Amino acid sequence: DESKRNELREKYGIPKDKVVYIYGGNLGTPQGLEFAMESVKASSVVSDAFFVFVGSGTKRKWIEEYIARENLGNILLLDAMPKDEYETLVFACDVGLIYLNHKCLSPNYPSRLLPYMQARLPVICATDPYTDVGKIAQDNEYGIWCESDNTSAFVSCIKKLNQANIRTPMGLNAYEYLMNNY
């Protein structure tokens, strides 16, 4: 409920008046985190968008340094946390993020999608062109896709999902898809 969402946002220092985009999981090369950080930086033009990244991995230190160097005020980087705590945090957010390195040549279907769907979050899938997670999300109207080498397309996705009248029905579709197919 709304009071629990606000309580969680306060606990982690997440703004209550922003649309919150969450990424959780491995912070490594296969996720294309250089593009992820470029896309977060480019999305600073959308003043009511805020990003939360949760996890650990080989690129975590690099992300910390990038955030500091670029003086990004629209992102919060949190350490990896126990699964139950992370999944509770997801419920306090508005949109789930899937990132995959654009150079990846083999299809991948990230399991991080499932907590997003359970929390009724629509998703943005920024992936390589070989992975069909974004196509499946778009075809079933629970998310949108862009290639993970196109920051302007990513910003367009942010602008679209910042609208509650688009985000809310897509989130409900995500939950229905989860229940009917997983």
Side-chain angles (χ1 to χ4, degrees):
D1 66 16
E2 199 61 32
S3 65
K4 182 68 172 170
R5 280 173 54 93
N6 286 334
E7 180 183 308
L8 285 165
R9 285 188 178 198
E10 189 171 316
K11 174 182 177 181
Y12 292 103
I14 300 168
K16 294 178 186 173
D17 61 342
K18 306 269 185 185
V19 178
V20 179
Y21 296 80
I22 186 166
Y23 172 88
N26 184 36
L27 302 175
T29 300
Q31 288 65 45
L33 293 167
E34 290 86 358
F35 173 78
M37 290 302 104
E38 289 172 17
S39 67
V40 168
K41 180 181 175 183
S43 296
S44 65
V45 298
V46 183
S47 62
D48 57 343
F50 189 82
F51 297 84
V52 176
F53 278 63
V54 181
S56 61
T58 58
K59 290 284 190 180
R60 189 175 199 301
K61 179 95 172 124
W62 179 87
I63 292 170
E64 288 175 11
E65 291 168 355
Y66 185 93
I67 292 168
R69 181 177 62 251
E70 298 298 327
N71 197 28
L72 297 181
N74 64 338
I75 184 171
L76 173 65
L77 179 61
L78 297 172
D79 290 328
M81 55 183 67
K83 183 178 185 245
D84 290 347
E85 185 177 348
Y86 168 73
E87 289 182 357
T88 300
L89 175 61
V90 170
F91 276 92
C93 299
D94 301 297
V95 179
L97 297 171
I98 304 281
Y99 285 103
L100 292 174
N101 191 315
H102 195 266
K103 295 176 184 171
C104 183
L105 299 177
S106 57
N108 186 329
Y109 202 87
S111 62
R112 76 179 46 89
L113 176 66
L114 300 177
Y116 302 155
M117 296 173 94
Q118 182 180 7
R120 294 169 174 82
L121 303 186
V123 294
I124 296 176
C125 302
T127 71
D128 58 83
Y130 308 104
T131 296
D132 60 358
V133 65
K135 180 181 180 348
I136 293 168
Q138 283 190 162
D139 289 351
N140 293 283
E141 299 179 351
Y142 65 82
I144 51 182
W145 174 77
C146 68
E147 287 194 45
S148 56
D149 66 349
N150 187 336
T151 53
S152 62
F154 184 88
V155 172
S156 293
C157 293
I158 295 295
K159 288 177 179 177
K160 183 174 183 177
L161 287 181
N162 252 38
Q163 301 173 60
N165 64 325
I166 293 173
R167 187 174 63 248
T168 301
M170 288 179 99
L172 294 173
N173 290 344
Y175 184 76
E176 287 298 315
Y177 194 85
L178 173 71
M179 292 292 104
N180 293 329
N181 295 282
Y182 295 113

